[in-house]
Amino acid sequence: MSTPETEHHAVPDNAQPARAGLTANEAAVRLAHDGPNLLPGAAPKTAWAIVLGVLREPMFLMLLAAGGIYLLLGDRGEALFLLAFVFVVIGITLAQERKTQRALESLRDLSAPRALVIRDGQERRIAGRDVVVGDVLVLHEGDRIPADAQLIDGQLDVDESLLTGEAVPVSKLSDAKLPPPAIPGEGALDPHASATPSLLPDEAAIALGRPGGDGGATLFASTVVTKGVGLAVVQATGARTAVGGIGAALAGTAEVDSGLQRASRGLIRKLTVVALLLAMALVLVSWLWDGRSPLEGLLAGIALAMAILPEEIPVILTVFLALGAWRLSKSRVLTRRVPAVEALGAITVLAVDKTGTLTQNRMQVAELAAGEAVFLSSASDLPEPFHTLVEFAMLATPLDPFDPMEKAIQGFGHTRLANTEHVHDDRSPAHQYDLARDILAITRVFADTHPDTYVLATKGAPEAVADLCHLPEPGRAAIQRQVEAMATRGLRVLGVARGTWQAPAPGAPWPASQHDFDFTFLGLIGLLDPPRPEVPAAIAECRAAGVRIVMMTGDHPATARAIAAQVGLSDRAEVVTGPELAALDDAALRERLRRVDVCARLAPEHKLRLVRALQADGQVVAMTGDGVNDAPALKAADVGIAMGERGTDVAREAAALVLLDDSFASIVQAIRGGRRIFDNIAKATRFVFAVHMPIIALTLLPALLHWPVLLLPVHIVLLELLIDPACSIVFEAEPAAADLMRRPPRPLSASPFTLGNIGYALAQGLGIAAVLLAGHALLHHFTTWSEADLRLVVFTALVLALFLLILANRDLAHAALANLRGDNPWLARMFVGVALVLAAVMLIPGLRAVMGFASVGLPPLAAALGLLIACGLWLQTLRWADGWRLHWTPA
């Protein structure tokens, strides 16, 4: 999206001009000159391509064949009417395709890569397509680099495997000296200057450097930052980047078909074979047994094939899933892979991170503890004994951190220690020890004033920091009591330590582990992140829907338990920790997870094992994550959900859904939306199979019983034009059922094509077919009405029964007429459409002649109404019978 979102971080006043970024006007001029920062992609399907797709459909070919036969039989009116419907079908298909395509394009725009750039001296989050040459990028761990650029500040590790095939990240060192100004779009700064020719991809690569190898300053588009923070100036965008030279290999990814779409195609193929075999049999019967001409027999066969083919099913699935994903985006849930919508309604376990999902992700330092002394942030002045604690917490934290806790520490320190000697923004670490699986602490090493002497600043899990300080057991127990007390108040607690190290010789290698240093424990920092106010109600809704919530967090067990109790996630006291998890085998872990709702002190790799353990126990798992290390678990989950606000690009790309507001309530909305979509697909599928049964019966049986033809191809085409909107518009707009979130999750393997759903539909349709055929037989026997009169009665009753089937399948728990409620805006429009179609074919002489109807009179209309009432009674009887069956079937 082109409108930038300004973040509250300003570039320091003493920043160099190159680091101050472009102005908005300069960026706009360059964007207009160079075009959007997009790789060559797959163009949207053109109208002509859509038309060609329609021309290849079996239904279209049968329409053409039927029209040609009418011409051969000399029925020009019928032929022209039928062929005219070809263009109507094309128009409807174009409208449906365009609607679906617009929904998918809207989702792609939302899921497009983002970039954090400096514009007008402020950090702004913009769409990756709007990045231009000269932009200053602010890069953090997990970001996907949006364009070829040169690192001018900071140090990064970058995964360039997309370009080199090497899985090991390469280190990038900053170089403030930019390449010569022969870069794409440089002339765009002056709108009156002549355009500078853009470099070809190979030339750009020569000018900027080649991928692979450590120590360079060149960054390449589509590669991923795996570590570090830095500033980079964009040198090439779009097709002029190194990855742009790869060309068509990266030209957009096609939408993967969902399981339902694949199942429906298989079903349609089988029904097509059945339709063709029955049609050929009917041709032979009509010719050899009924004595009709071959052309008339062929016409009857085509009508039967058209009646059998439920070509609406693929349309239903495509439209419902695409528009369903678009509707979810309105609830701040972005669907990156449309097939994931299917799995939403089957979720049984929701594994969520605490910070930012259940809580507000607004970390603030709430409490400090140094020995027996305690400081509450509500106090005005920070006492002197706490200055060193805050100073070393800041030193152990990057100056421009990405993590909310680290942001809170830096913000607290800059506020409480302003204008003191304890703030060291000018110091850069000489070395750093990152968080490790066996040491949940970070140590940053700074050069001291004495040669080969270094100051160490450490923060991390209190037990890990206490272990690094080699404290005796009584000291550790006292710290643990303090941590427990703070954690039970919902605080996330970090330990802080300081140390010194004297290098044994100039240039000596750094010790292999943080354990090789001597530290002094300074105290504890308690950070508060209050729960989101909407979370308790959303969790209660999940519980009512049979969805279990499991918290996965790196926090202390007491903190996690406190937050779980506050939001109503669990009242079970048992917590499993990362070290405990590592000691369990798979079977024991599955057993443990059946009675545990809170998992604490987790490392990112633990999340993947937890997801797989839950899946192995038969659960359908949705999982939230935001970091680079969460990507494997997000991809392994049945539905991976990335955080849109704080999540890294890598997490967003690994996930199926992205929460644009990071809110837990949005996840619940997504589950509700997924259930509604599946419900509506089942309703539409039931309607399609139900409505096709009377059409098939009224086409096939008259030929076998030597009756006059009741349904011709023109009738079937007209019915299809009513059935299509009913499927793709009316049922798609159906609101969620009142009990939707009080049902248990459906099995992941559930399908609208099950015997129960299709069998009920066939019973509906066969009953209506029996009523119409019996009505025709009775009228033929007891009246002197003509063939045209009888056809008018049967067709009118069939069209009205079509609308009755729509009502009946909206909600099987209520009678058809009880479903006339006005919560679906398309229902009234559908009724008006049905009424207009009937009025047109009855009252317009030309159309009436083409349809083979007699003039409208009161007796035929009364007879049609009587048949409609009989159809309604059948649907109600079927509903009662099904309710009785469900009541007496053992659970």
Side-chain angles (χ1 to χ4, degrees):
M1 291 170 285
S2 59
T3 303
E5 177 187 345
T6 304
E7 300 193 354
H8 302 290
H9 304 290
V11 176
D13 294 334
N14 60 352
Q16 299 179 23
R19 290 163 171 75
L22 301 175
T23 66
N25 289 336
E26 288 172 338
V29 172
R30 292 193 180 204
L31 184 64
H33 179 274
D34 286 350
N37 177 36
L38 295 173
L39 295 176
K45 192 183 291 186
T46 64
W48 179 240
I50 295 172
V51 171
L52 286 178
V54 175
L55 298 181
R56 289 193 291 267
E57 289 293 326
M59 182 63 74
F60 177 82
L61 298 175
M62 285 186 280
L63 278 173
L64 286 182
I69 292 170
Y70 272 122
L71 285 176
L72 292 174
L73 292 173
D75 296 329
R76 292 185 180 178
E78 286 85 345
L80 292 175
F81 184 79
L82 201 62
L83 294 175
F85 272 111
V86 169
F87 298 99
V88 178
V89 171
I90 290 174
I92 290 175
T93 306
L94 278 171
Q96 288 171 335
E97 286 274 358
R98 286 296 186 200
K99 192 174 183 181
T100 303
Q101 194 166 294
R102 280 195 299 269
L104 292 174
E105 287 171 359
S106 173
L107 293 174
R108 276 194 288 267
D109 288 343
L110 282 172
S111 63
R114 309 165 302 159
L116 187 60
V117 301
I118 299 176
R119 296 264 179 94
D120 295 315
Q122 296 284 331
E123 290 186 8
R124 295 175 182 266
R125 183 77 62 183
I126 65 171
R129 59 174 291 134
D130 295 332
V131 171
V132 298
V133 171
D135 260 328
V136 177
L137 303 173
V138 183
L139 299 170
H140 295 90
E141 176 183 317
D143 287 349
R144 187 169 290 279
I145 299 170
D148 286 2
Q150 175 148 328
L151 188 64
I152 59 172
D153 193 11
Q155 182 174 347
L156 304 174
D157 284 358
V158 180
D159 179 359
E160 293 184 345
S161 58
L162 175 73
L163 298 171
T164 64
E166 296 293 333
V168 179
V170 296
S171 297
K172 300 290 182 177
L173 304 177
S174 60
D175 182 359
K177 183 180 179 182
L178 297 174
I183 57 177
E186 185 66 22
L189 281 175
D190 181 3
H192 302 292
S194 59
T196 303
S198 296
L199 295 175
L200 296 173
D202 285 346
E203 295 171 332
I206 293 169
L208 298 174
R210 295 282 182 181
D214 291 325
T218 303
L219 307 175
F220 298 95
S222 298
T223 59
V224 177
V225 179
T226 59
K227 180 181 174 183
V229 178
L231 295 179
V233 176
V234 174
Q235 303 294 310
T237 60
R240 295 176 291 274
T241 61
V243 75
I246 297 176
L250 292 174
T253 55
E255 285 293 328
V256 179
D257 290 336
S258 71
L260 286 183
Q261 287 172 321
R262 292 191 294 272
S264 73
R265 290 206 179 98
L267 178 64
I268 297 300
R269 280 195 294 270
K270 292 173 184 175
L271 289 175
T272 301
V273 173
V274 172
L276 293 176
L277 291 175
L278 287 176
M280 287 189 291
L282 184 60
V283 170
L284 294 175
V285 168
S286 299
W287 178 31
L288 299 176
W289 183 26
D290 212 22
R292 297 182 185 178
S293 69
L295 287 178
E296 289 177 328
L298 187 57
L299 201 59
I302 289 173
L304 177 62
M306 291 169 66
I308 292 175
L309 278 181
E311 78 286 347
E312 302 89 357
I313 297 295
V315 174
I316 289 171
L317 296 176
T318 302
V319 171
F320 279 42
L321 292 176
L323 292 184
W326 176 78
R327 288 182 192 274
L328 288 179
S329 72
K330 299 300 181 184
S331 300
R332 310 293 292 162
V333 180
L334 170 63
T335 308
R336 295 195 69 256
R337 286 185 283 279
V338 172
V341 174
E342 278 183 30
L344 280 171
I347 291 170
T348 60
V349 173
L350 188 51
V352 296
D353 189 18
K354 176 184 73 67
T355 304
T357 308
L358 300 177
T359 61
Q360 297 179 23
N361 198 27
R362 293 178 181 172
M363 283 286 185
Q364 54 190 22
V365 175
E367 190 174 323
L368 302 177
E372 297 298 323
V374 175
F375 171 80
L376 301 179
S377 61
S378 55
S380 56
D381 296 321
L382 183 68
E384 182 66 32
F386 295 98
H387 284 196
T388 303
L389 169 62
V390 177
E391 174 187 2
F392 275 83
M394 293 174 67
L395 284 173
T397 302
L399 186 60
D400 181 22
F402 181 69
D403 183 82
M405 286 196 305
E406 294 185 327
K407 285 180 181 287
I409 291 170
Q410 286 288 3
F412 181 84
H414 279 94
T415 301
R416 298 300 182 123
L417 298 179
N419 302 316
T420 71
E421 73 277 9
H422 296 287
V423 178
H424 307 285
D425 287 350
D426 56 338
R427 300 183 71 175
S428 298
H431 191 65
Q432 177 167 317
Y433 294 88
D434 291 324
L435 202 71
R437 188 173 186 174
D438 54 338
I439 305 177
L440 296 176
I442 294 172
T443 297
R444 303 179 90 215
V445 184
F446 298 87
D448 201 0
T449 53
H450 301 291
D452 300 321
T453 302
Y454 296 89
V455 175
L456 313 173
T458 295
K459 74 174 190 302
E463 61 269 27
V465 176
D467 183 55
L468 291 175
C469 294
H470 308 295
L471 293 177
E473 188 57 38
R476 295 191 191 199
I479 291 172
Q480 186 61 30
R481 284 193 297 272
Q482 281 184 309
V483 170
E484 293 283 351
M486 295 170 73
T488 54
R489 295 192 289 275
L491 299 180
R492 184 165 187 177
V493 187
L494 296 177
V496 180
R498 66 178 297 178
T500 57
W501 181 64
Q502 178 70 46
W510 299 105
S513 169
Q514 300 174 63
H515 275 296
D516 297 327
F517 298 109
D518 290 322
F519 291 97
T520 301
F521 193 82
L522 296 177
L524 301 170
I525 295 181
L527 297 108
L528 178 65
D529 184 13
R532 289 177 180 263
E534 71 275 11
V535 165
I539 286 179
E541 192 172 6
C542 275
R543 282 186 159 183
V547 179
R548 178 183 165 209
I549 313 295
V550 174
M551 179 193 291
M552 295 184 178
T553 179
D555 278 357
H556 188 279
T559 305
R561 193 185 299 116
I563 294 295
Q566 288 178 37
V567 299
L569 184 146
S570 176
D571 53 7
R572 294 196 269 199
E574 189 174 355
V575 177
V576 64
T577 65
E580 291 171 345
L581 182 152
L584 296 172
D585 61 26
D586 290 344
L589 178 59
R590 288 197 299 272
E591 178 61 34
R592 186 80 180 272
L593 286 176
R594 289 172 189 160
R595 59 179 189 271
V596 172
D597 296 324
V598 178
C599 305
R601 281 289 183 253
L602 296 183
E605 58 269 21
H606 293 148
K607 295 182 180 180
L608 176 59
R609 188 173 177 216
L610 284 168
V611 167
R612 287 179 170 162
L614 288 166
Q615 289 173 324
D617 203 34
Q619 305 297 327
V620 179
V621 182
M623 183 206 144
T624 67
D626 58 3
V628 175
N629 291 327
D630 289 334
L634 288 171
K635 189 167 273 189
D638 297 283
V639 181
I641 305 171
M643 301 296 106
E645 290 184 345
R646 75 179 191 274
T648 61
D649 288 343
V650 174
R652 285 163 57 96
E653 290 175 13
L657 302 179
V658 177
L659 298 184
L660 299 179
D661 57 2
D662 288 9
S663 171
F664 180 83
S666 295
I667 303 176
V668 181
Q669 288 294 330
I671 293 173
R672 182 200 304 275
R675 290 188 174 193
R676 185 192 72 84
I677 291 165
F678 189 87
D679 253 19
N680 290 348
I681 289 174
K683 293 174 184 178
T685 302
R686 195 165 56 238
F687 166 77
V688 167
F689 279 92
V691 83
H692 272 267
M693 290 312 298
I695 299 175
I696 294 169
L698 294 174
T699 304
L700 178 61
L701 290 180
L704 298 178
L705 299 174
H706 301 279
W707 289 359
V709 175
L710 290 179
L711 290 185
L712 298 167
V714 287
H715 301 130
I716 295 172
V717 170
L718 192 61
L719 288 167
E720 291 292 341
L721 294 181
L722 296 175
I723 294 170
D724 275 353
C727 298
S728 59
I729 298 177
V730 177
F731 281 108
E732 194 282 326
E734 273 293 289
D739 68 338
L740 190 69
M741 294 299 282
R742 295 194 295 272
R743 306 177 197 161
R746 63 174 175 83
L748 188 59
S749 59
S751 166
F753 310 121
T754 58
L755 182 59
N757 198 46
I758 300 300
Y760 192 89
L762 296 180
Q764 286 181 322
L766 287 172
I768 290 175
V771 168
L772 297 180
L773 287 168
H776 175 272
L778 290 173
L779 291 172
H780 178 71
H781 183 74
F782 290 107
T783 69
T784 58
W785 290 356
S786 66
E787 179 183 326
D789 286 314
L790 296 175
R791 186 179 291 123
L792 174 65
V793 171
V794 172
F795 184 81
T796 302
L798 178 58
V799 171
L800 294 176
L802 179 150
F803 187 74
L804 199 62
L805 279 170
I806 294 174
L807 295 178
N809 285 290
R810 289 190 71 197
D811 185 355
L812 296 181
H814 298 94
L817 294 180
N819 291 329
L820 268 172
R821 58 186 186 275
D823 52 359
N824 186 332
W826 286 99
L827 198 61
R829 299 168 195 173
M830 183 69 192
F831 180 76
V832 171
V834 169
L836 289 176
V837 167
L838 270 180
V841 297
M842 287 179 181
L843 302 177
I844 300 175
L847 288 179
R848 191 168 63 237
V850 168
M851 303 297 288
F853 293 159
S855 297
V856 181
L858 188 58
L861 290 181
L865 182 60
L867 291 179
L868 180 66
I869 292 172
C871 291
L873 290 174
W874 165 251
L875 294 177
Q876 182 62 20
T877 302
L878 191 62
R879 191 180 72 82
W880 282 333
D882 191 59
W884 181 85
R885 178 186 62 82
L886 293 175
H887 178 75
W888 290 103
T889 300

